[in-house]
């Protein structure tokens, strides 16, 4: 996730948690707020939406929520604070960057271990680039080259089995120039013939690296697994 997005979410969600804290003092508990009018309903909707975003970005574990609530209350009461504005900004940036780097390094190590273990499995082959693949079904049609356009069905999962995308779920195959996708696909599909179905095990360096698509559910330095079915090759077309 981007640092600035995390900071924005943290600030917005801090208000949500403070509001929750106030509600508890007034006799309310989480999930049992009384919605008496449109203002209450809109406030509840905003709180739930922002809370979900906060949780989806992992901020509920990244920050100490009790300290966050206490600090929000102090700010709203006008109490003296322990840091200057510049110190607070520097602290937030430094902490988030440090924690993100820890996570990204852990992802890289986990990916390396997965590929090392997977490499020795029966049926798995490894190319010179480090791409691993497994033949599920071998077709009989033509093979594409990088300048061709292909039509495929695919399912993408993380190494823990969690699905992050699937053309089957979208209800239609996808068509794209083969030289316009991630390196693993450009290389891997050139190994296939029309009608083939392969499983590609994609090192981070041949996938999205440190910049996965926003809202994809893919973390930086992640190994990805794609089951790809090559339906059609359009020779020379872009």
């Amino acid at each position: 996730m981007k640092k600035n997005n995390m900071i924005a979410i943290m600030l917005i969600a801090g208000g949500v948690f403070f509001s929750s804290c106030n509600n508890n003092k007034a006799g309310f508990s989480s999930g049992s707020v009384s919605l008496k009018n449109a203002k209450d309903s809109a406030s509840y909707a905003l709180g739930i939406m922002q809370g979900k975003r906060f949780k989806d970005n992992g901020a509920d574990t990244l920050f100490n929520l009790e300290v966050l609530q206490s600090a929000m209350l102090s700010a709203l009461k006008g109490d003296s604070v322990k840091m200057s504005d510049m110190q607070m900004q520097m602290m937030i940036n430094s902490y988030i960057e440090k924690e993100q780097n820890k996570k990204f390094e852990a992802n890289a190590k986990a990916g390396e271990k997965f590929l090392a273990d997977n490499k020795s499995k029966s049926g798995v082959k490894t190319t010179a680039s480090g791409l691993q693949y497994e033949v599920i079904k071998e077709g009989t049609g033509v093979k594409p080259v990088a300048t061709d356009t292909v039509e495929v069905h695919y399912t993408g999962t993380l190494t823990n089995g969690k699905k992050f995308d699937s053309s089957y779920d979208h209800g239609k195959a996808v068509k794209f120039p083969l030289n316009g996708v991630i390196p693993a696909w450009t290389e891997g599909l050139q190994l296939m013939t029309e009608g083939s179905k392969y499983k590609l095990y994609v090192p981070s360096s041949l996938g999205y690296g440190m910049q996965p698509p926003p809202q994809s559910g893919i973390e930086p330095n992640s190994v990805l697994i794609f089951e790809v079915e090559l339906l059609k090759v359009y020779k020379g077309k872009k």
Side-chain angles (χ1 to χ4, degrees):
M1 80 199 73
K2 291 185 179 179
K3 186 193 311 179
N4 289 339
N5 289 343
M6 174 61 79
I7 293 171
I9 292 169
M10 185 273 291
L11 292 174
I12 293 170
V16 173
F17 280 111
F18 167 75
S19 177
S20 173
C21 183
N22 267 0
N23 282 341
N24 286 336
K25 288 184 177 181
F28 297 111
S29 60
S30 177
S32 63
V33 178
S34 178
L35 307 180
K36 298 179 180 179
N37 51 46
K39 182 178 181 180
D40 290 347
S41 296
S43 299
Y44 178 80
L46 178 61
I48 293 295
M49 290 171 62
Q50 297 299 347
K52 286 182 177 179
R53 292 178 186 175
F54 191 66
K55 186 174 180 64
D56 288 345
N57 282 275
D60 57 328
T61 56
L62 186 60
F63 297 101
N64 184 321
L65 301 187
E66 291 184 3
V67 174
L68 177 61
Q69 289 179 342
S70 176
M72 286 292 299
L73 183 59
S74 293
L76 289 173
K77 289 169 62 179
D79 294 343
S80 60
V81 297
K82 302 179 183 295
M83 307 177 194
S84 67
D85 288 349
M86 181 176 292
Q87 287 174 324
M88 287 188 285
Q89 189 65 57
M90 290 175 62
M91 176 58 69
I92 293 170
N93 290 345
S94 175
Y95 173 69
I96 292 176
E97 184 175 358
K98 182 179 178 181
E99 292 302 307
Q100 285 181 333
N101 287 339
K102 285 182 184 177
K103 179 65 174 176
F104 301 159
E105 289 172 8
N107 288 347
K109 290 179 180 178
E112 290 172 3
K113 184 179 186 308
F114 174 87
L115 292 171
D117 293 342
N118 193 64
K119 186 176 183 178
S120 61
K121 291 183 178 179
S122 176
V124 175
K125 301 177 182 179
T126 306
T127 69
S129 70
L131 174 67
Q132 296 179 5
Y133 69 96
E134 183 179 354
V135 178
I136 299 174
K137 182 181 73 172
E138 197 68 85
T140 58
V142 298
K143 281 187 175 182
V145 297
T147 53
D148 291 336
T149 292
V150 296
E151 187 172 357
V152 307
H153 261 309
Y154 70 92
T155 297
T157 60
L158 305 176
T159 56
N160 62 6
K162 182 178 180 181
K163 180 169 61 176
F164 59 82
D165 196 13
S166 173
S167 62
Y168 299 101
D169 292 346
H170 300 319
K172 57 185 287 188
V174 295
K175 184 177 176 182
F176 51 82
L178 193 50
N179 58 8
V181 288
I182 60 174
W185 277 49
T186 302
E187 178 184 359
L189 268 74
Q190 290 185 77
L191 302 172
M192 303 170 65
T193 56
E194 279 183 341
S196 294
K197 187 173 185 179
Y198 280 23
K199 182 177 282 190
L200 306 179
Y201 302 91
V202 180
S204 172
S205 59
L206 299 178
Y208 297 110
M210 287 290 291
Q211 295 183 314
Q215 309 302 319
S216 65
I218 302 171
E219 294 186 342
N221 288 342
S222 291
V223 169
L224 305 176
I225 302 171
F226 290 98
E227 281 196 8
V228 185
E229 185 178 2
L230 180 54
L231 303 175
K232 181 72 176 176
V233 176
Y234 300 88
K235 300 299 294 183
K237 293 185 178 181
K238 295 186 178 180

